[in-house]
Amino acid sequence: MLTLNINHKIIKVDVPEDMPLLWVLRDVLGLMGTKYGCGIGECGACTVHLDGEAVRSCNLPVGLIGERSVITIEGIADDPIAQKILDAWITHQPTQCGYCQPGQIMTAISLLKKNENPSNEEIEREMSGHICRCGTYQRVKEAIKDAAGEVEE
Ligand code: FES
Ligand code: FES
């Protein structure tokens, strides 16, 4: 039995320690907002926050998490920086099919938490690990610049 801190709640789960966190979130806890894309840490669809850092959950064994806090897309509602990102997403409408978007949003939030005024290059570097088959990269960048309080040129 493992004890996890997920979305500000202490939860016990009876799973093998080597089960990837993504499986625990989706299949055990029913938190379906975090997506399965590649399963090998290459696409970003499964991104969550671990103590505030954006991490891939598809290749993170749940037994390695310990007491660190996990936040998924379902757990961001009360976060003011997340709210800025969500407002900018509504304004700039990057979402097409939507599959990659929860992961992109989680990385965008963690970026603004550590750097409230990122340059274009910093945004591109941070978001470069996210693959979007719908090609929303430019609008995602515009939304992040807007959330950071900058006028997109
Ligand atoms: S599903 Fe985790 S990085 Fe692609
Ligand atoms: S919006 Fe469709 S994969 Fe990104």
Side-chain angles (χ1 to χ4, degrees):
M1 189 73 78
L2 294 173
T3 302
L4 301 172
N5 179 350
I6 297 185
N7 293 339
H8 313 292
K9 290 191 185 127
I10 303 301
I11 295 171
K12 289 192 184 300
V13 288
D14 188 9
V15 297
E17 295 205 1
D18 62 354
M19 179 181 277
L21 174 60
L22 180 61
W23 272 242
V24 178
L25 295 174
R26 291 180 58 87
D27 296 345
V28 179
L29 301 176
L31 294 168
M32 307 298 272
T34 308
K35 303 304 185 197
Y36 174 83
C38 63
I40 54 170
E42 296 288 346
C43 76
C46 65
T47 301
V48 299
H49 292 176
L50 189 63
D51 272 356
E53 282 289 328
V55 299
R56 310 297 199 233
S57 61
C58 68
N59 57 4
L60 175 61
V62 68
L64 295 182
I65 292 173
E67 295 182 354
R68 290 178 288 176
S69 125
V70 176
I71 301 290
T72 72
I73 191 79
E74 291 90 349
I76 62 174
D78 296 329
D79 183 318
I81 291 181
Q83 198 55 57
K84 280 189 190 176
I85 290 286
L86 294 177
D87 289 346
W89 244 250
I90 289 168
T91 300
H92 293 273
Q93 294 285 309
T95 302
Q96 297 297 311
C97 81
Y99 200 83
C100 71
Q101 298 289 311
Q104 297 222 51
I105 287 169
M106 296 307 283
T107 297
I109 295 167
S110 76
L111 169 61
L112 283 202
K113 280 179 183 288
K114 59 190 176 191
N115 180 357
E116 61 184 21
N117 188 19
S119 65
N120 282 339
E121 291 70 31
E122 287 168 329
I123 293 172
E124 280 163 13
R125 192 180 322 125
E126 192 78 8
M127 303 306 293
S128 65
H130 288 273
I131 295 173
C132 173
R133 62 190 170 188
C134 304
T136 64
Y137 304 108
Q138 183 60 29
R139 285 196 182 200
V140 164
K141 191 168 88 172
E142 288 167 3
I144 294 171
K145 295 290 281 183
D146 190 1
E150 294 198 17
V151 178
E152 182 64 14
E153 68 277 4

